[in-house]
Amino acid sequence: MSIFFYTKNVSFSVNEELVVNWIKESVETIGYVVDELSFIFCSDEYLKVINLKYLKHDFFTDVITFDYSNKKLLFGDVYISIDRVKENSTKYKTSFNEELFRVIIHGVLHLCGFNDNTVEEKTLIRSKENEALSTID
């Protein structure tokens, strides 16, 4: 199991040990195992370029996940805009850390097969996010 952390166009760090343990425990409770994950914390502009290039979406977003998983073995890249996390924490009246952890687990849940395209899917993935957030030490 390997989880890596990178930055692109931002100065940022996270408590890696806490995140690694939390993700590992969170996915194991729903029947998955981490193989290799990379988290790339970046700027709005950096993620917008990726959004346009790979998804043909010309707008800012908080997280984009690239899934290379094999069944229950998680393998992927999770790009997170620190600018969006900051803005969303203000917009949704949450702490920066709560919003950051929500976006991190949201990306991981996509690797576990959860989507957010319909109202029902959004409700389910939000429930899974809340379950995971409740377990952070």
Side-chain angles (χ1 to χ4, degrees), residues 3-7 19 23 37-41 76-80 103-105 107-108:
I3 299 179
F4 302 98
F5 299 90
Y6 304 97
T7 58
V19 173
I23 289 170
L37 299 180
S38 292
F39 289 91
I40 303 91
F41 300 107
D77 297 325
V78 180
Y79 288 81
I80 295 174
V103 172
I104 288 171
I105 203 64
V108 172

Side-chain angles (χ1 to χ4, degrees), residues 5-137:
F5 299 90
Y6 304 97
T7 58
K8 294 287 185 183
N9 298 349
V10 293
S11 177
F12 180 76
S13 65
V14 66
N15 182 333
E16 294 180 10
E17 183 179 355
L18 173 70
V19 173
V20 167
N21 291 333
W22 174 61
I23 289 170
K24 181 177 178 265
E25 291 169 11
S26 295
V27 301
E28 286 176 357
T29 64
I30 54 176
Y32 289 82
V33 175
V34 172
D35 181 8
E36 184 175 314
L37 299 180
S38 292
F39 289 91
I40 303 91
F41 300 107
C42 58
S43 65
D44 263 350
E45 291 300 329
Y46 188 89
L47 195 51
K48 186 177 181 185
V49 168
I50 291 172
N51 205 10
L52 186 57
K53 180 176 181 179
Y54 294 100
L55 302 175
K56 308 296 185 237
H57 299 158
D58 189 14
F59 53 80
F60 295 124
T61 189
D62 52 2
V63 61
I64 295 177
T65 303
F66 293 94
D67 188 359
Y68 318 113
S69 300
N70 184 3
K71 299 182 181 165
K72 299 283 186 174
L73 199 56
L74 301 183
F75 188 148
D77 297 325
V78 180
Y79 288 81
I80 295 174
S81 168
I82 295 304
D83 297 323
R84 283 300 94 204
V85 171
K86 287 178 185 173
E87 188 168 304
N88 287 345
S89 70
T90 300
K91 179 179 176 181
Y92 299 120
K93 296 177 176 45
T94 64
S95 70
F96 173 82
N97 281 342
E98 181 179 343
E99 186 64 19
L100 175 65
F101 282 101
R102 182 175 298 282
V103 172
I104 288 171
I105 203 64
H106 184 89
V108 172
L109 287 168
H110 277 306
L111 297 173
C112 297
F114 293 93
N115 291 306
D116 53 7
N117 299 318
T118 67
V119 172
E120 293 81 10
E121 289 174 340
K122 286 178 184 174
T123 300
L124 180 58
I125 200 169
R126 181 53 61 119
S127 170
K128 294 296 181 185
E129 290 168 12
N130 289 336
E131 286 175 29
L133 286 169
S134 74
T135 66
I136 295 175
D137 295 331

